[in-house]
Amino acid sequence: MKAQQLQSVLETAHTADLKHTRALDDDSRARALLLPEDASLDAAALTHAAQQLHADTGAVQALLPDEAILQRHTAELAALDRERQQLTETLTDAQERLNTLPQRRAALAARLEDARSAQETSRELTPTPQSSRKTAGSRQTP
């Protein structure tokens, strides 16, 4: 009976040794995949880093809808900026036109005055219908 117990204990120890050897091999392969600055971390630190990475991933995923909203707002802001630029150009053009109005008004007033003066001169030089009749009537009577 003691031999059987001893045999069972030896088998359990051998199985544990094999599992331990496999775990060491797995740990060596995993450490080979780590960045050099992380190779010295122990299992607890790696577990903590994995938990932190999981938490950070969750936080980033929670922010994805906000990022979509931010992108939409950024596009709307860009469209508003383009519209503002167009309005600024329109207002600048309108202001330039308004700035030329006094000169244009003065030029038109001068032209109007010239036209009135020419019309007055034309009236003075052109005989009126009554004076034309007198002149025409005096010619008819010998």
Side-chain angles (χ1 to χ4, degrees):
M1 173 133 210
K2 282 194 175 207
Q4 285 179 344
Q5 286 179 346
L6 186 58
Q7 178 70 27
S8 174
V9 169
L10 286 176
E11 286 176 7
T12 303
H14 179 66
T15 303
D17 185 50
L18 287 175
K19 287 182 180 180
H20 180 69
T21 303
R22 268 189 246 130
L24 286 175
D25 290 342
D26 290 345
D27 184 63
S28 294
R29 282 192 300 276
R31 287 189 183 281
L33 298 174
L34 291 174
L35 296 173
E37 61 268 15
D38 295 333
S40 65
L41 295 175
D42 61 7
L46 288 173
T47 301
H48 177 71
Q51 290 171 345
Q52 186 62 42
L53 178 63
H54 182 69
D56 290 348
T57 302
V60 168
Q61 287 178 346
L63 292 174
L64 288 177
D66 292 339
E67 181 183 8
I69 292 169
L70 182 61
Q71 287 176 349
R72 191 180 83 238
H73 287 312
T74 301
E76 290 172 359
L77 183 59
L80 288 172
D81 282 344
R82 285 189 301 275
E83 184 178 343
R84 181 190 53 80
Q85 181 64 32
Q86 289 173 346
L87 287 173
T88 300
E89 290 171 4
T90 301
L91 286 173
T92 301
D93 184 46
Q95 186 62 46
E96 289 172 357
R97 289 181 183 196
L98 283 173
N99 291 341
T100 63
L101 281 180
Q103 294 170 339
R104 291 174 61 194
R105 183 175 287 154
L108 288 173
R111 286 176 59 191
L112 180 61
E113 185 57 35
D114 289 345
R116 284 183 180 156
S117 177
Q119 185 180 23
E120 190 63 34
T121 303
S122 174
R123 282 187 193 147
E124 290 173 3
L125 295 176
T126 305
T128 60
Q130 290 177 348
S131 63
S132 297
R133 283 189 220 155
K134 288 181 183 177
T135 309
S138 60
R139 288 186 194 163
Q140 290 177 355
T141 320

